[in-house]
């Protein structure tokens, strides 16, 4: 290079060289401190991540080779075909290939760093949510959980503990208190309950199905004990409606149907006609139910004589 | 028509061109009240389908479990003539369009059996009732004794 380089480049080179010397000074101080620590044995990497150690040594060899190449260039020697270049290329490839592993180890590295700095796991670390059987043990002071009998005894054995022998009932569980309820609020509450019951009766549901356009929900559950009879009933209804005839009911069918509607088999609510008087503001009458229950009880279930459980026939 | 809150819904409606009628399944909703009578249902259906009640024939009404709902069938003929032609006799009798044959089943069968013994137009002469026994003549004997 015989011709003079341009001015801008010279100044740039000077600044770069100055930065270089600064950087070198810092680096050398760091390195001496690190080597001192190593010699003292403060840095023990036996239990660390071996991946990071490997990365460190790879980077170190890369730097060494790079420094050699730079020195060759500074001395003006050619670097073509040098073994160092090949080593550099190889190291560079390896470092780029292990970068995704770095990503995958990010959580572990962060955890270890956090433990090293703060001494415990982070707030949202999933390891914090492992089951703690120790929480199941009771933390009561004094008596342990095995003394529940003693507690009951003390509760029952000293009932009269109060002011001057006033009887205080033992407080075992909390009970609903409705002593402050007036007659009006009680009536209102019963009316509201009756309204709710009337609105959800089968008749109102039918009307809703007819006039509202909510989609129809079909609940498909099969009652194991009544599967067959339900299926037969559905078949019979389908036949009757398709051919517009009424199939005759055998005596057995009649008896079975009657037994279905008795109190002892299904209970009062299902056999009573839906009382919609609550929707008009009138409380449902209790006397009506008792009268119907009495008449149903009088009919009573008849004993089935002879062959029972015969398969129902369609008499065509 | 006194049941103001009863609702009538029809399902499975079909127009039967062969028998000149419309047939359907009828659901009557009558919550808290007893079921409607057949005449009331006929009148309501006639209003719904804009026909006279005399061509509507309803039958097979059964009350559902728990009350409040009754299901049955209904046939609406095009004209009364078709109805008289196609409807079964017992339903025509219910409407008063046909009269039930008098006498009992036994009497009818006996008449038929008597008709079997006779040939031709004499069949029509066979009476339906019991044969009237002729009065026995009272014969007087020369001695004055009577035999009946």
């Amino acid at each position: 290079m015989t011709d003079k380089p341009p001015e801008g480049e010279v100044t740039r080179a000077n600044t770069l060289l100055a930065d270089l010397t600064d950087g070198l000074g810092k680096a050398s101080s760091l390195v001496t401190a690190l080597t001192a620590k190593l010699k003292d044995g403060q840095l023990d990497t036996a239990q660390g991540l071996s991946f990071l150690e490997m990365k460190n040594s790879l980077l170190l060899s890369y730097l060494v080779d790079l420094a050699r190449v730079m020195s060759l260039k500074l001395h003006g020697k050619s670097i073509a075909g040098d073994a160092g270049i090949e080593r550099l290329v190889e190291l560079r490839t390896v470092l780029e290939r292990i970068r995704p592993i770095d990503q995958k180890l990010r959580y572990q590295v962060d955890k270890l760093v956090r433990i090293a700095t703060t001494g415990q796991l982070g707030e949202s670390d999933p390891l914090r949510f492992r089951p703690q059987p120790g929480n199941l043990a009771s933390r009561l002071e004094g008596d342990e959980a095995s003394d529940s009998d003693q507690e009951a005894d003390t509760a029952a054995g000293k009932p009269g503990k109060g002011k001057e022998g006033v009887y205080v009932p033992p407080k075992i569980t909390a009970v609903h208190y409705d002593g402050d309820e007036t007659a009006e609020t009680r009536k209102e509450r019963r009316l509201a309950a009756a309204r709710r019951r009337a609105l959800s009766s089968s008749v109102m549901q039918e009307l809703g199905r007819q006039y509202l356009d909510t989609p129809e929900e079909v609940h498909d559950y099969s009652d194991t004990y009544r599967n067959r009879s339900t299926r037969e009933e559905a078949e019979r209804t389908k036949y009757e409606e398709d051919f517009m005839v009424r199939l005759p009911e055998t005596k057995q069918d009649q008896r079975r149907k009657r037994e279905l509607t008795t109190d002892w088999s299904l209970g009062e609510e299902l056999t009573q006609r839906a009382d919609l008087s609550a929707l008009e503001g009138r409380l449902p009458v209790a006397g009506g139910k008792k009268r119907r229950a009495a008449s149903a009880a009088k009919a009573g279930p008849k004993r089935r004589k002879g062959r029972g459980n015969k398969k129902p026939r369609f008499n065509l | 028509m006194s049941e103001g809150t009863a609702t009538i819904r029809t399902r499975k409606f079909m127009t039967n061109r062969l028998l000149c009628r419309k047939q359907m399944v009828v659901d009557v909703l009558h919550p808290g009240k007893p079921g409607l009578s057949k005449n009331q249902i006929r009148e309501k259906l006639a209003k719904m389908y804009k026909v006279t009640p005399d061509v509507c024939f309803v039958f097979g009404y059964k009350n559902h479990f728990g009350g409040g709902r009754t299901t049955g069938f209904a046939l609406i003929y095009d004209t009364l003539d078709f109805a008289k032609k196609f409807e079964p006799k017992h339903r025509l009798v219910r409407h008063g369009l046909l009269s039930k044959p008098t006498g009992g089943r036994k009497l009818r069968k006996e008449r038929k059996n008597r008709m079997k013994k006779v040939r031709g137009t004499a069949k029509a002469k066979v009476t339906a009732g019991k044969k009237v026994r002729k009065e026995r003549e009272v014969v007087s004997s020369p001695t004055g004794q009577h035999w009946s």
Side-chain angles (χ1 to χ4, degrees), chain A residues 2-16:
Chain A
T2 49
D3 43 346
K4 235 180 153 198
E7 274 292 322
E9 292 218 357
V10 172
T11 43
R12 241 185 73 201
N14 285 335
T15 45
L16 279 172

Side-chain angles (χ1 to χ4, degrees), chain A residues 148 172 190 226 314:
Chain A
S148 56
I172 303 168
R190 285 181 57 215
R226 298 210 201 111
F314 290 158

